[in-house]
Structure formats: structure tokens, C-alpha cells
Amino acid sequence: MNSLFDVSGKVAVVTGGSGVLGSNISEGLLKAGAKVAAIGAHSDRVEKALERLRKTGGEVCGFTCNVLDMDNLREVKEKVLAQWGRVDILVNAAGGNIPGGTLTETQHVFDMKVEDLNKVVDLNMNGTVYPCLVFGEVMAAQKSGSIINVSSMASYEAITRVPGYSMAKSAVENFTRWMAQEMALKFSEKIRVNAIAPGFFIGNQNRAVLINPDGSLTERSRKVIAKTPMRRFGDISELNGAVQFLCSEAASFITGVTLPIDGGFSSFSGV
């Protein structure tokens, strides 16, 4: 049974690999025996992530790359192929929100800057689509591979204050389903495209929204916990088992799905 979940020796590309979510997933894949190419937008953050990832003892390399630049992505693809000869796994963890794309408690939708809205949608939607096109082409040629996109609870519910992020993550889910049927029907049933939808995890981007300076929960946090049957935030490492499962032969007949990892948030009405 354990061999079904084996990803050892597989080559994984992780976008957003220098961020909290991406570096955590990279670490999980390395510990499971995969080879990992971590991609990040800033060279200093990539180097810092590599310092941590190398401590696992696994095979890892890093590249500075703008996921919204197709030529840049193709350059990285060629470097990964030159080093390891194939791409078995693509995890699209690049994304997130920006201050201008998040409404404050006193703002309404008409206060939002369209420029910031466009940036958030572009990063989260096209920042997923473009790597799928570049690295997915490798999988199409080799007739196998697994793509994992990252959605959000914001695609399940109308969560206040994050309109651009919500729209983009909803698009990611739709694109995941579309890409899944495209790859299976036109290239190989051994190419699978799925997504995970993390629940609420405290990270650098949302800490100020969820945690007060004194360490207590904000009003927003209390609402999140009230709608989470497990009554807690997730630990970022709790994403890794789901990612490994979806990348492994244990999920060989699963494609086009989004798996919530949310402590029950998406299934609970709050009543």
C-alpha cells in the first residue's frame, strides 16, 4: 500500500517556492524523496528558501522567475530538463494578495483601485495558467505528470474584503477542471490536473488581519473559527499529505477535482 503513495525520484517544479506555502510543500516533497526545483520572484528569498530546503538532504535547486513571463518560464523549463530530464509534478503555489487589492474594514467596493484589482487577478489566475502551459507541455510530450493548483476558501464563499483574490481563485478552479479534461482527452490519461483549497492558515500575508498585536484573535479570526468545525487554524504542514497523495499513483483515477484542506470550513453552515 505504501508504494501507491511513493513519489521518490519524481521531478517536481514548485512555483512560489520561496514563499511560506510553496517552500513548505517543497520541503514535504523533498522529504518524500522527490527532486524539487523551487521557483521564486526574488533571488534573495529563493536563496533563503534553498538554505532551509537543503537541510532535508534531498536534491533541490532554485530559480528566480516571474511566473507572468512566459519566456522566463521557458528558460527555467530548459534548465530543469537539462538537470533532470523530465518534469513529473507541477505545484502552482505562486499567488497571494496585495494591500491595494484588499479592502479595509471602512472601505467599500467602489474604493478599490482597479489597477490593484488587475494585479491580484493577474498574479493568481495567469500566474497559475502560464506555468501550466509551459511545464504542462513537457508532461504532454512524456505522456505523464501531475499538476496541483492552489485554490482557496475564497472560491467557496463570498468572503468579505478580498474581491480580486476571490475572483482569481474561482477562475483557478474552473481552469483546473478545463485543463484536466484537455490533458486526459488529447494527450494521456496519465496526466492529471487537480487543485487543493487550503482553509485558514496564519502566514505573513494574513497575520495582521487574523492576529492582534497582543496575540489575541481579531474579530475576523473569531468568525473563521466559529465556522470551522475543528475549531482551530490549520498548520501549514497539514497540506503536504494531500499534495503527495494527489501526485502519487494512489490518486491515479482522480483528475479535475479541488480538495479542501480546511478543517470542515467549506462544509459547515455555521449553524
Side-chain angles (χ1 to χ4, degrees):
M1 176 62 74
N2 286 340
S3 63
L4 279 175
F5 298 88
D6 185 19
V7 295
S8 60
K10 292 184 180 293
V11 176
V13 173
V14 181
T15 72
S18 59
V20 173
L21 190 153
S23 63
N24 170 75
I25 290 174
S26 295
E27 183 176 13
L29 288 169
L30 284 167
K31 288 180 177 178
K35 304 171 184 178
V36 174
I39 293 175
H42 306 283
S43 58
D44 56 334
R45 295 179 189 175
V46 172
E47 284 305 315
K48 187 175 181 180
L50 285 176
E51 287 179 18
R52 170 191 165 193
L53 295 173
R54 288 182 181 122
K55 293 177 182 177
T56 64
E59 291 188 58
V60 59
C61 61
F63 301 98
T64 303
C65 178
N66 178 2
V67 293
L68 296 176
D69 185 330
M70 292 283 283
D71 289 335
N72 202 178
L73 285 166
R74 291 187 185 102
E75 290 171 5
V76 172
K77 177 189 72 173
E78 293 305 323
K79 291 176 181 177
V80 173
L81 292 176
Q83 182 159 341
W84 288 320
R86 57 188 297 110
V87 175
D88 301 297
I89 296 166
L90 170 64
V91 180
N92 282 307
N97 220 328
I98 62 174
T102 302
L103 299 173
T104 67
E105 291 179 338
T106 59
Q107 286 180 312
H108 51 64
V109 66
F110 305 114
D111 294 322
M112 185 171 52
K113 294 180 180 178
V114 173
E115 297 83 358
D116 291 329
L117 172 68
N118 289 340
K119 288 178 184 177
V120 171
V121 172
D122 201 22
L123 173 60
N124 289 279
M125 183 180 71
N126 289 329
T128 294
V129 173
Y130 293 175
C132 283
L133 297 180
V134 171
F135 294 101
E137 193 170 23
V138 178
M139 296 178 183
Q142 66 194 24
K143 303 296 183 184
S144 66
S146 177
I147 296 174
I148 310 295
N149 296 325
V150 177
S151 181
S152 167
M153 287 299 103
S155 68
Y156 284 73
E157 306 276 359
I159 296 176
T160 60
R161 298 170 56 187
V162 288
Y165 185 77
S166 301
M167 287 186 283
K169 289 303 187 181
S170 297
V172 165
E173 288 202 13
N174 185 278
F175 177 71
T176 296
R177 293 190 293 270
W178 186 90
M179 192 70 171
Q181 58 86 21
E182 179 77 358
M183 298 302 274
L185 288 171
K186 296 183 181 178
F187 297 99
S188 172
E189 51 93 10
K190 293 187 178 297
I191 304 172
R192 298 178 296 103
V193 185
N194 294 294
I196 59 171
F200 289 84
F201 299 78
I202 297 176
N204 296 331
Q205 288 189 349
N206 64 2
R207 186 175 301 277
V209 176
L210 299 178
I211 303 295
N212 290 314
D214 63 2
S216 62
L217 298 181
T218 63
E219 181 182 357
R220 193 173 181 84
S221 272
R222 290 193 292 271
K223 290 177 180 178
V224 168
I225 297 300
K227 197 179 178 305
T228 304
M230 288 189 176
R231 293 293 189 254
R232 66 176 176 87
F233 292 109
D235 184 281
I236 197 73
S237 65
E238 291 178 297
L239 299 174
N240 294 345
V243 171
Q244 182 175 338
F245 162 66
L246 289 173
C247 292
S248 72
E249 285 302 305
S252 60
F253 199 50
I254 299 174
T255 196
V257 308
T258 299
L259 175 62
I261 309 168
D262 66 346
F265 181 93
S266 61
S267 62
F268 183 45
S269 69
V271 178

